[in-house]
Amino acid sequence: MDKQFDKIRVVLVNTSHPGNIGAAARAIKNMSLGRLYLVAPKDFPADRAVWRAANAADILDRAVVVETLDEAIADCGLVVGTSARDRTIPWPLLNPRECGEKVWHEATEHEVALVFGREDRGLTNEELHKCTYHVHIPANPEYSSLNLAAAVQVLTYEVRMAALAEKQGAYPVKTQWDVPPAKVKELELYYEHMEQALVDLGFHDRANPRQTMTRLRRLFNRIRPDSMELSIMRGVLTAIQNAVFKFKTATDQDDIGGSKVD
Ligand code: SAH
């Protein structure tokens, strides 16, 4: 059971108030989790974080501080982003209970991240689009934004409930997949490759991107390709790029030939 808890990390992005970091550490430890990642915190380490952490200061001592969200989630196979409100493009959504169950189950297979946003602005759309799923705590629609540490408490509580339910044999055995799902880092490289191939193909214009890449990200997020499927797709993209290159070279030579005739 403990091994699964060790595979789950809570990621706090750009937190302003160190008190919230301390309170989140306490919430995490209360629920038997232990790993905290801080993406560019405004004020950390800080005494106020230690005070609010009470006896969970060990979680703060072990917290991993990184500069970007990419670094915090690169090796994860499942990333759940939290949102206090609706966003422009809808994303696959979990409720907190489903989130707890999914996080708990997938932690048998790979690293899992629960990502929380800034106190004033939450997560940016770009950050949310790096997540496999979004989760929303269905609070009072008139006043739906929880304190950051309170949101951490609710979602880590659901993970613990899922863990306890499994202990009581509440879940059926699930399919064992043959290849692990692609990690965030592999997916990011894939999206970069795909964008370049679509530019080469003349399908996509970086100067006028519209929502193309966001929608394609969402498509592949929904499919959740495994590492093998992703490397096949990378091979397909390379083949497309090679064909485009050959076609362009042949057309250029025709042009040169044509001008000679002139
Ligand atoms: N004003 C911000 C809310 C920030 S609250 C906004 O409109 O997005 C700080 C963080 O707490 C959020 O980024 C999210 O991680 C978490 N949070 C707060 N309320 C939540 C809710 N109802 N559901 C899920 N996460 C929530």
Side-chain angles (χ1 to χ4, degrees):
M1 183 145 146
D2 287 340
K3 215 169 133 239
Q4 260 154 285
F5 282 120
D6 284 348
K7 291 212 164 197
I8 302 167
R9 68 189 67 171
V10 168
V11 180
L12 305 185
V13 177
N14 229 202
T15 312
S16 301
H17 302 293
N20 280 335
I21 298 178
R26 182 176 188 171
I28 289 167
K29 188 165 174 178
N30 280 146
M31 297 301 115
S32 310
L33 297 173
R35 292 172 63 209
L36 179 61
Y37 279 61
L38 303 173
V39 178
K42 296 255 163 66
D43 182 6
F44 186 84
D47 286 343
R48 260 180 309 155
V50 179
W51 298 335
R52 290 289 300 280
N55 280 328
D58 56 316
I59 306 282
L60 296 179
D61 292 341
R62 281 187 282 124
V64 180
V65 181
V66 291
E67 274 308 304
T68 61
L69 176 61
D70 282 333
E71 291 168 75
I73 60 174
D75 57 336
C76 292
L78 171 69
V79 181
V80 185
T82 52
S83 183
R85 61 199 155 96
D86 286 343
R87 305 293 176 134
T88 38
I89 288 198
W91 216 253
L93 192 65
L94 300 170
N95 68 38
R97 194 132 310 157
E98 292 164 335
C99 174
E101 289 166 7
K102 192 166 267 302
V103 164
W104 182 248
H105 282 146
E106 294 210 14
T108 50
E109 315 270 339
H110 44 248
E111 294 284 325
V112 175
L114 273 170
V115 185
F116 295 84
R118 300 154 188 82
E119 289 94 333
D120 53 347
R121 292 182 293 122
L123 294 166
T124 64
N125 283 333
E126 198 191 328
E127 287 161 348
L128 281 166
H129 294 161
K130 292 181 187 291
C131 301
T132 332
Y133 292 95
H134 294 167
V135 59
H136 173 70
I137 299 164
N140 175 0
E142 311 287 312
Y143 188 59
S144 67
S145 173
L146 278 75
N147 163 265
L148 171 60
V152 171
Q153 186 72 81
V154 170
L155 294 179
T156 53
Y157 169 78
E158 289 294 347
V159 174
R160 185 160 173 79
M161 286 305 101
L164 296 179
E166 186 184 66
K167 240 186 160 183
Q168 289 154 12
Y171 298 121
V173 180
K174 57 184 191 60
T175 321
Q176 288 289 319
W177 205 249
D178 53 345
V179 178
K183 306 283 184 283
V184 169
K185 200 172 170 184
E186 295 166 79
L187 282 165
E188 288 301 324
L189 289 171
Y190 174 65
Y191 295 133
E192 265 175 43
H193 192 165
M194 180 162 52
E195 185 168 24
Q196 185 57 52
L198 295 180
V199 168
D200 295 349
L201 203 53
F203 177 81
H204 178 62
D205 180 5
R206 281 203 175 93
N208 182 22
R210 299 166 183 268
Q211 298 278 19
T212 308
M213 289 313 297
T214 303
R215 289 187 183 277
L216 286 172
R217 262 178 187 274
R218 186 175 65 170
L219 169 69
F220 282 94
N221 257 328
R222 226 160 57 233
I223 299 169
R224 300 192 66 196
D226 65 37
S227 294
M228 180 76 80
E229 289 161 344
L230 210 62
S231 63
I232 294 171
M233 289 306 296
R234 297 276 312 252
V236 170
L237 291 177
T238 304
I240 290 173
Q241 285 176 304
N242 288 341
V244 169
F245 180 75
K246 269 191 206 144
F247 178 74
K248 281 187 179 158
T249 319
T251 323
D252 286 352
Q253 273 166 2
D254 278 359
D255 285 350
I256 293 165
S259 66
K260 267 181 195 161
V261 173
D262 281 341

